[in-house]
Amino acid sequence: MGVELKIVRELATVCVTASELVAIENLIKGELAKPAFIEQFDKMANSIKECYGISTASLQTWLAMTTETEFCEKFDAAYAHHKATYLSITNRPRVASERAYLDYMLLREFKETQTAYPLLKLTFARLDEFIDKWITNDAWLAMSIENLIKMLYRFLTEVSELKQKDPTDAFTIYQTLMAALRPYCALLENNWIVLEEPVGQTETA
């Protein structure tokens, strides 16, 4: 073992970026309402949101096993499926990020992004940094998700090997990590829900 902290760290990093995107989106949509601009912003944001969907989807099967009985009955089949498919997932965040960057470049052609209004000017600078660091040049978001998926596979492989010797100990180690991941998954899913809701929906409900 030894990868547990790294897995939690990568998921926490992904959560932080989701919170940042929520804040940026709320600020921009709170000030701008031009339909064509919002449509292009949403195209960009939806590509980034796809990365968050990949993160949560990769964990749902494992988080659902909450008892030792479920673990003993379902883990082997789930692990075999995961082993056969996880490599096909690892590149998807980069593909989504590349699409988000192209959508961002089209968004930047709108005159709204060149505003001198202080709040929006600062928010667009914040968006620029988000895209630069997390989506394009450094691609930290895709890298964090790739690391999460690869290290999760390593962890599950070690659990699988231990399960053949001592299922109870294997479940204890397994469940400890799942317990650590659940709060971050809940935060990520909550941010995702917020991103899907029109700005101001809560206030007008």
Side-chain angles (χ1 to χ4, degrees):
M1 300 298 170
V3 299
E4 291 91 338
L5 179 58
K6 294 177 182 178
I7 294 171
V8 175
R9 182 190 64 191
E10 297 296 358
L11 184 59
T13 297
V14 173
C15 287
V16 168
T17 69
S19 296
E20 176 68 354
L21 185 58
V22 167
I24 291 170
E25 181 164 349
N26 285 340
L27 285 167
I28 289 176
K29 288 186 175 180
E31 299 294 328
L32 298 172
K34 181 179 178 181
F37 173 85
I38 296 300
E39 180 181 0
Q40 186 58 39
F41 184 95
D42 286 344
K43 284 181 65 177
M44 175 201 70
N46 286 339
S47 294
I48 300 173
K49 294 171 195 176
E50 185 176 326
C51 295
Y52 302 133
I54 294 167
S55 301
T56 55
S58 67
L59 294 167
Q60 287 310 308
T61 297
W62 312 112
L63 293 171
M65 295 183 201
T66 58
T67 69
E68 186 173 347
T69 299
E70 289 178 320
F71 175 78
C72 290
E73 292 176 350
K74 299 178 180 180
F75 180 87
D76 290 345
Y79 172 71
H81 177 74
H82 186 79
K83 182 178 180 179
T85 59
Y86 88 99
L87 284 176
S88 66
I89 301 171
T90 56
N91 192 49
R92 286 175 55 195
R94 289 192 181 271
V95 173
S97 293
E98 289 170 2
R99 189 166 61 249
Y101 177 67
L102 294 176
D103 291 333
Y104 167 75
M105 293 304 293
L106 291 175
L107 182 74
R108 267 305 192 178
E109 294 179 4
F110 283 79
K111 62 180 177 60
E112 284 83 355
T113 65
Q114 307 305 318
T115 179
Y117 176 49
L119 175 60
L120 283 175
K121 186 176 181 179
L122 288 171
T123 304
F124 279 117
R126 190 172 170 181
L127 176 61
D128 290 344
E129 183 174 2
F130 179 90
I131 295 295
D132 181 61
K133 295 295 184 184
W134 295 100
I135 304 301
T136 56
N137 290 337
D138 294 325
W140 286 344
L141 178 57
M143 183 171 61
S144 291
I145 298 171
E146 288 171 8
N147 288 340
L148 170 66
I149 294 169
K150 290 176 181 178
M151 287 187 291
L152 177 64
Y153 171 67
R154 178 180 163 188
F155 171 80
L156 294 171
T157 298
E158 293 175 349
V159 169
S160 179
E161 292 171 354
L162 180 59
K163 182 175 178 290
Q164 307 311 312
K165 304 172 185 176
D166 192 326
T168 297
D169 281 358
F171 175 71
T172 300
I173 292 172
Y174 171 86
Q175 188 63 0
T176 298
L177 176 61
M178 295 305 116
L181 293 178
R182 281 192 181 90
Y184 294 101
C185 284
L187 177 61
L188 185 57
E189 290 172 351
N190 182 63
N191 279 329
W192 199 4
I193 290 170
V194 170
L195 282 165
E196 294 296 327
E197 293 177 349
V199 174
Q201 178 173 319
T202 302
E203 290 80 355
T204 58

